[in-house]
Amino acid sequence: MTATEGVEAVVGTTGTGEPEPIERGTTARGPWSRAWSRFHKHRLAFGSLIFCALLILTAIAAPLIAPYGYEETDIQHKLAGPGAPGHLLGTDLLGRDILSRLIYGLQTALTVAFGAELTALVLALAIGLLAGYLGGRVESLLMAFTDVMYAFPSYLFAVVMVTVLGRSIFALVVAIGIASWVTQARLVRAQVMTLKEREYVEAARSMGAKGSTIAIRYILPNAIGPILVTTSFAIPAAIAAEAGLALLGLGVQPPTPSWGAMISEGSRYLLAAPHMLVAPAVLFALTLLAFTWIGDGVRDAFDPSGEQR
């Protein structure tokens, strides 16, 4: 019998900082390894991860994959239905290929979503870390600012920002990112306030480590689990926000394709050309569901009781 097999239970650490028992006869694994194991067992989330990876690759390779440019028109086949010659999903009222515009619209949606979430995450980490670690007057000022932003409707704030900055991908990234960092900042602050009292942080402090080193090297890595969960749910929210702004006429400038603009345009031709609405609406719904299921899987992966489910 090996030493590992002779141990009744080995205590590990989960992403939440709680102890987790490991059954006898198993080898102790790190928290990331256990989280990946749980995520991999979540079939719906893992399948959604593969689907979203394919979407990202499609968006990156859009110029190579799309059969036409998103501005190219085929006047002879305006409002052609699915299966029309050279147009698998048909064309719109200007004769533009819907499949090509869906692919380029995917590029727009993912660029805005990931860019906005990166912006929100940077703001949330900066404000949450400073407020949670420094405390005192700095925390009071930062959290007062956070409360003001929280009280202001985020969607209305995004509308105002786009109106001021203009209709562009950059404006959408900045507007949605700045409008969506508040909840994550509160979470980061709560995690930092909990973790900064742990023994390993006190040990690092007693050894003369700087505050910035302690916050970035010792506290942030142990708070990353809950942050990843909120980030995974924020990405589909950003995709929906971009489409919502496009429905209001505040999306990217035409002729750059956007799923929201395509859905809005298709709804006006629902009886004459239903394919103009169905194709972007179905892909939009599937993408949101896939990213949401990934969020469910990430949440369960960092749940300490996930192994017993």
Side-chain angles (χ1 to χ4, degrees), residues 114-191:
F114 284 107
E117 182 50 29
L118 180 61
T119 302
L121 191 58
V122 170
L123 289 172
L125 288 176
I127 293 176
L129 278 173
L130 285 173
Y133 186 77
L134 295 179
R137 183 172 296 180
V138 173
E139 180 186 12
S140 299
L141 290 174
L142 289 176
M143 296 318 296
F145 173 66
T146 302
D147 290 340
V148 170
M149 292 295 297
Y150 187 77
F152 198 86
S154 59
Y155 202 80
L156 179 59
F157 185 83
V159 170
V160 173
M161 289 289 292
V162 172
T163 303
V164 172
L165 296 176
R167 296 169 59 186
S168 66
I169 290 180
F170 173 77
L172 289 171
V173 167
V174 173
I176 297 174
I178 293 179
S180 58
W181 61 268
V182 176
T183 302
Q184 288 174 296
R186 287 183 161 190
L187 173 66
V188 173
R189 169 181 169 266
Q191 289 291 308

Side-chain angles (χ1 to χ4, degrees), residues 4-215:
T4 303
E5 293 171 342
V7 177
E8 290 293 330
V10 179
V11 177
T13 305
T14 66
T16 60
E18 297 296 329
E20 177 182 358
I22 299 177
E23 297 178 1
R24 60 178 299 178
T26 63
T27 303
R29 296 177 296 167
W32 287 101
S33 177
R34 290 195 299 274
W36 171 251
S37 177
R38 295 192 202 106
F39 183 86
H40 189 269
K41 292 176 182 177
H42 197 304
R43 295 184 179 179
L44 193 57
F46 189 70
S48 297
L49 179 64
I50 295 174
F51 176 73
C52 289
L54 292 176
L55 289 179
I56 294 171
L57 290 176
T58 301
I60 293 173
L64 301 176
I65 296 176
Y68 302 95
Y70 61 82
E71 293 184 84
E72 290 186 46
T73 59
D74 185 353
I75 303 301
Q76 295 182 345
H77 294 93
K78 292 191 297 183
L79 295 179
H87 304 285
L88 182 63
L89 296 181
T91 61
D92 63 9
L93 72 162
L94 297 177
R96 297 174 297 191
D97 184 66
I98 289 180
L99 176 59
S100 299
R101 290 183 62 79
L102 280 177
I103 293 173
Y104 280 102
L106 170 64
Q107 192 177 61
T108 300
L110 293 184
T111 300
V112 171
F114 284 107
E117 182 50 29
L118 180 61
T119 302
L121 191 58
V122 170
L123 289 172
L125 288 176
I127 293 176
L129 278 173
L130 285 173
Y133 186 77
L134 295 179
R137 183 172 296 180
V138 173
E139 180 186 12
S140 299
L141 290 174
L142 289 176
M143 296 318 296
F145 173 66
T146 302
D147 290 340
V148 170
M149 292 295 297
Y150 187 77
F152 198 86
S154 59
Y155 202 80
L156 179 59
F157 185 83
V159 170
V160 173
M161 289 289 292
V162 172
T163 303
V164 172
L165 296 176
R167 296 169 59 186
S168 66
I169 290 180
F170 173 77
L172 289 171
V173 167
V174 173
I176 297 174
I178 293 179
S180 58
W181 61 268
V182 176
T183 302
Q184 288 174 296
R186 287 183 161 190
L187 173 66
V188 173
R189 169 181 169 266
Q191 289 291 308
V192 172
M193 291 180 67
T194 300
L195 294 171
K196 73 177 184 179
E197 304 300 333
R198 296 290 174 87
E199 291 82 359
Y200 58 86
V201 176
E202 293 294 338
R205 191 178 291 117
S206 65
M207 294 175 65
K210 295 181 179 179
S212 57
T213 301
I214 294 173

